[in-house]
């Protein structure tokens, strides 16, 4: 990898703090003080939400954000049927799984009937991490081996055992000595060959193969669903080495891929030994679990005791049962397929004449779009971040993923339908229009160089130098078209009557400006303005914030 993986893709780095309303800045400071440094927020300018409904989230001012990112509320935020089922059960009984309750058994039977791995049992946990942890214990017991194979930028969870299987957590989170990574299944690569090499390496080190563990959509590796079928030979290799195939369906399960309820079912001939699932299972309530072949589970069941206090409790099972009902009754899997295709085709259409969008991949409502430099064709995490933040500024939520952080991750709740897809595409088109200008024109601002008329701009058109003085009016209209290039404007009082301004561009460059030009620029571009409280008696712009 020529570029190291960012610690967190689309993480808030503080750079956009000054552009946020004072109450948001205060909440961020309190959060950091209370929760500490390991937590991360999304976006250059983090968002606060107070309510969700369907495919929308609402900020404290009641502004609706279109959710094209969240797969946990997969049947829709605050779905009334889930809310009703949970409320009813909570008011009736909630207990652990050492008593007989009908709900957990009925749900397990329903869940098992959806899988295609032969006679199996279901076991419940609270999180996807716990599900992978449990699957690993079962695999080790069943095989007597220790080695585990995962992809180069896999993520499988937060427990100590799951973090050791999660290279995407970064270089500071060590992988287990029993873990081998294989290159992700990118187009044209020989994925099975990588797995064969890892198997051989584990064998030589005397570790043996307990399991191959993979997210069926390779989400953190950059969303790599195709060509369906490439996983079946991998399962054969792993089994021939004595190991198990564990399909991590935390991302790809519950109808996400549209064509099937489970991501592994997209791959003809693939029948995992253990399937782990989570996230969308309870539409936000903490329920996760595994489905494992009976033959694989037999030894573990004989020799181990399993009890997970909250795992599969009646309230979470009520949520999970309602989720299955809603997926069926509202045709959400079919919607995922149909809307996913529509969105993928439309984004491919946009990519056709926008050089910064390269490959568009996806299955159902899980899309990955490669973002690259128009000049070099190299992956560009910076441009991806600019698109993600540009969408956020237009109240549409997405994120980015992949080892180089350059893959747009579009993964809305499943009721996301045609009108929302059109809304999404409108926002994306606008973001790209504005972004493409600074990208292809490489804006360099020299504001406040002379008097009003003489304010100048130098442009390089796709690498070609065009040093040409322009009037402020012309500059303003150009910048208006490239508005999202401007991140924020800061005005500082140097002395009485003497002000000094700087314009921060998205790439991080800071440009000196005359205060009036800077404020005008902010007005044209919509960038937030920061001034020190003593500065302006009368803010010249209603959006000027005091700090
Ligand atoms: N596996 C995959 C593929 C995941 O994406 C995640 C969560 N992002 C997990 C496991 C862990 O799930 P949880 O956060 O519920 O522990």
């Amino acid at each position: 990898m020529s570029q190291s993986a960012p610690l967190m893709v689309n993480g808030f780095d503080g750079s956009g703090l000054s552009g946020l309303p004072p109450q948001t800045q205060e909440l961020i400071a309190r959060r950091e003080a209370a929760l500490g440094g390991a937590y991360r927020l999304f976006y250059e300018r983090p968002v606060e939400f107070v309510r969700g409904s369907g495919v929308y989230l609402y900020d404290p001012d009641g502004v609706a954000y279109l959710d094209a990112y969240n797969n946990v509320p997969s049947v829709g935020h605050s779905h009334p049927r889930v809310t009703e089922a949970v409320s009813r059960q909570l008011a009736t009984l909630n207990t652990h799984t050492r008593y007989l309750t009908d709900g957990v058994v009925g749900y397990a039977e329903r869940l098992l009937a959806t899988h295609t791995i032969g006679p199996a049992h279901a076991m419940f946990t609270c999180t996807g991490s716990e599900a992978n942890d449990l699957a690993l214990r079962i695999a080790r017991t069943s095989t007597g081996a220790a080695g585990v194979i995962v992809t180069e930028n896999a993520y499988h969870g937060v427990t100590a055992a799951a973090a050791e299987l999660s290279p995407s957590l970064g270089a500071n989170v060590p992988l287990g000595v029993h873990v081998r990574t294989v290159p992700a299944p990118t187009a044209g690569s020989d994925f099975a060959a990588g797995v064969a090499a890892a198997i051989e390496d584990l064998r030589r080190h005397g570790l043996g193969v307990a399991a191959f563990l993979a997210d069926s959509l390779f989400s953190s590796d950059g969303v790599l669903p195709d060509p369906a079928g490439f996983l079946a030979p991998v399962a054969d290799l792993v089994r021939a080495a004595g190991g198990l195939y564990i399909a991590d369906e935390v991302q790809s399960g519950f109808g996400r891929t549209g064509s099937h309820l489970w991501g592994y079912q997209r791959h003809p001939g693939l029948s995992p030994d253990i399937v782990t699932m989570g996230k969308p299972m309870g539409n936000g309530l903490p329920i996760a679990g595994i489905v494992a072949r009976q033959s694989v589970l037999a030894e573990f069941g004989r020799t181990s005791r399993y009890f997970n206090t909250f795992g599969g409790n009646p309230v979470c099972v009520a949520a999970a049962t309602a989720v299955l009902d809603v997926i069926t009754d509202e045709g959400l899997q079919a919607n995922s397929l149909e809307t996913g295709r529509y969105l993928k085709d439309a984004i491919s259409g946009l990519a056709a004449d926008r050089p910064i969008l390269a490959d568009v991949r996806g299955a159902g409502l899980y899309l990955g779009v490669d973002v690259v430099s128009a000049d070099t064709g190299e992956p560009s995490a910076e441009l991806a971040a600019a698109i993600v933040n540009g969408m956020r500024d237009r109240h549409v939520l997405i994120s980015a993923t992949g080892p180089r952080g350059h893959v747009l991750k579009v993964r809305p709740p499943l009721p996301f339908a045609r009108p929302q897809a059109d809304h999404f595409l409108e926002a994306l088109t606008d973001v790209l229009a504005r972004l493409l200008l600074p990208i292809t024109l490489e804006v360099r601002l020299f504001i406040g160089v002379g008097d009003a008329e003489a304010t100048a701009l130098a442009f390089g058109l796709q690498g070609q130098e065009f040093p040409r003085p322009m009037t402020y009016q012309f500059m303003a209209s150009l910048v208006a078209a490239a508005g999202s290039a401007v991140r924020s404007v800061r005005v500082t009082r140097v002395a009485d009557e003497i002000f000094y301004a700087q314009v921060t561009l998205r790439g991080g460059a800071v440009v000196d400006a005359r205060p009036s030009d800077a404020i005008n620029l902010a007005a044209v571009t919509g960038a937030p303005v920061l001034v020190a409280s003593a500065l302006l008696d009368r803010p010249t712009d209603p959006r000027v914030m005091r700090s």
Side-chain angles (χ1 to χ4, degrees):
M1 223 186 299
S2 61
Q3 199 179 309
S4 65
L7 190 56
M8 182 175 135
V9 175
N10 188 27
F12 170 60
D13 62 4
S15 62
L17 188 70
S18 62
L20 292 166
Q23 66 273 22
T24 311
Q25 294 191 35
E26 191 197 325
L27 187 56
I28 289 171
R30 280 177 49 215
R31 180 182 145 111
E32 203 172 307
L35 304 184
Y39 279 83
R40 297 285 188 281
L41 287 162
F42 269 164
Y43 303 115
E44 262 171 23
R45 301 195 298 128
V47 219
E48 179 184 354
F49 290 122
V50 295
R51 188 167 77 80
S53 174
V55 294
Y56 294 96
L57 285 162
Y58 297 86
D59 77 6
D61 296 325
V63 174
Y65 284 65
L66 178 63
D67 186 355
Y69 178 74
N70 287 294
N71 62 346
V72 171
S74 118
V75 300
H77 290 277
S78 305
H79 194 290
R81 283 179 69 183
V82 179
T83 306
E84 197 273 330
V86 166
S87 309
R88 189 163 21 87
Q89 187 60 50
L90 192 57
T92 309
L93 171 75
N94 199 21
T95 181
H96 55 75
T97 45
R98 276 186 172 148
Y99 301 114
L100 280 170
T101 50
D102 187 56
V104 70
V105 178
Y107 179 70
E109 288 166 350
R110 271 184 79 177
L111 192 63
L112 287 166
T114 66
H115 283 282
T116 47
I117 65 170
H121 297 299
M123 295 173 77
F124 297 107
T125 63
C126 304
T127 66
S129 305
E130 284 181 355
N132 283 329
D133 200 304
L134 176 61
L136 186 62
R137 287 177 61 202
I138 292 167
R140 287 192 172 143
T141 306
S142 166
T143 63
V148 184
I149 300 167
V150 296
T151 48
E152 266 174 357
N153 204 50
Y155 180 74
H156 294 294
V158 293
T159 65
E164 284 186 347
L165 302 169
S166 299
S168 71
L169 286 173
N172 298 327
V173 180
L175 297 179
V177 291
H178 56 285
V179 177
R180 296 294 179 276
T181 61
V182 293
T186 48
S189 68
D190 188 348
F191 186 55
V195 175
I199 289 172
E200 177 55 20
D201 193 47
L202 286 170
R203 194 191 61 73
R204 284 193 67 190
H205 285 87
L207 292 160
V209 183
F212 167 84
L213 168 62
D215 166 354
S216 302
L217 278 177
F218 299 91
S219 315
S220 53
D221 284 293
V223 190
L224 307 167
D226 293 319
F230 71 85
L231 287 173
V234 171
D236 294 342
L237 281 175
V238 172
R239 288 205 188 99
L244 303 184
Y245 186 108
I246 304 175
D248 182 334
E249 293 281 336
V250 169
Q251 293 279 347
S252 53
F254 293 96
R256 171 64 48 187
T257 64
S259 58
H260 298 83
L261 195 65
W262 303 106
Y264 71 83
Q265 292 171 334
R266 291 179 62 247
H267 291 261
L270 178 62
S271 177
D273 299 291
I274 305 178
V275 181
T276 64
M277 53 215 122
K279 281 190 195 282
M281 195 163 175
N283 213 49
L285 269 85
I287 179 163
I290 69 162
V291 162
R293 279 186 210 280
Q294 291 180 2
S295 54
V296 159
L297 206 47
E299 178 69 5
F300 187 80
R302 236 190 333 271
T303 57
S304 313
R305 182 163 59 81
Y306 178 73
F307 174 61
N308 187 326
T309 304
F310 303 115
N313 70 66
V315 167
C316 288
V317 162
T321 304
V323 165
L324 285 184
D325 288 340
V326 173
I327 291 174
T328 308
D329 296 350
E330 296 186 8
L332 294 183
Q333 190 183 315
N335 181 65
S336 178
L337 185 66
E338 201 178 299
T339 311
R341 260 193 203 140
Y342 175 73
L343 206 52
K344 189 172 153 203
D345 288 350
I347 298 173
S348 301
L350 286 178
D353 55 1
R354 287 163 180 86
I356 64 168
L357 298 189
D359 198 28
V360 182
R361 300 175 294 275
L365 278 172
Y366 205 135
L367 304 182
V369 184
D370 286 351
V371 180
V372 298
S373 152
D375 296 331
T376 64
E378 279 296 301
S380 174
E382 192 186 60
L383 272 178
I387 295 175
V388 167
N389 284 292
M391 294 294 275
R392 174 254 177 263
D393 290 345
R394 285 158 186 77
H395 307 147
V396 178
L397 306 173
I398 60 168
S399 191
T401 186
R404 298 174 74 172
H406 74 294
V407 183
L408 300 181
K409 176 168 161 186
V410 181
R411 184 194 51 180
L414 299 184
F416 196 90
R418 203 55 92 86
Q420 286 88 37
D422 287 334
H423 175 175
F424 174 95
L425 292 162
E426 213 175 283
L428 182 61
T429 307
D430 190 41
V431 169
L432 292 170
R434 282 166 179 260
L435 257 184
L436 276 167
L437 199 56
I439 296 324
T440 55
L441 295 187
E442 202 181 278
V443 179
R444 277 186 263 149
L445 302 171
F446 299 97
I447 306 166
V449 172
D451 294 326
E453 183 64 358
T455 302
L457 243 194
F459 278 86
L461 180 59
Q462 289 178 343
Q464 235 182 318
E465 283 289 310
F466 266 19
R468 198 167 96 193
M470 297 175 192
T471 62
Y472 178 75
Q473 283 72 18
F474 187 41
M475 179 200 78
S477 61
L478 278 172
V479 177
S484 52
V486 180
R487 182 189 279 165
S488 63
V489 167
R490 174 183 293 269
V491 182
T492 313
R493 182 181 202 170
V494 185
D496 274 355
E497 306 299 322
I498 301 177
F499 295 89
Y500 164 69
Q502 287 184 318
V503 175
T504 304
L505 302 180
R506 274 192 192 277
V510 179
V511 185
D512 291 336
R514 288 190 315 177
S516 58
D517 280 346
I519 298 270
N520 284 340
L521 192 60
V524 173
T525 61
V529 182
L530 179 80
V531 294
S533 54
L535 285 190
L536 299 176
D537 295 326
R538 285 176 295 110
T540 51
D541 182 295
R543 291 169 306 106
V544 167
M545 286 172 285
R546 291 170 177 276
S547 67

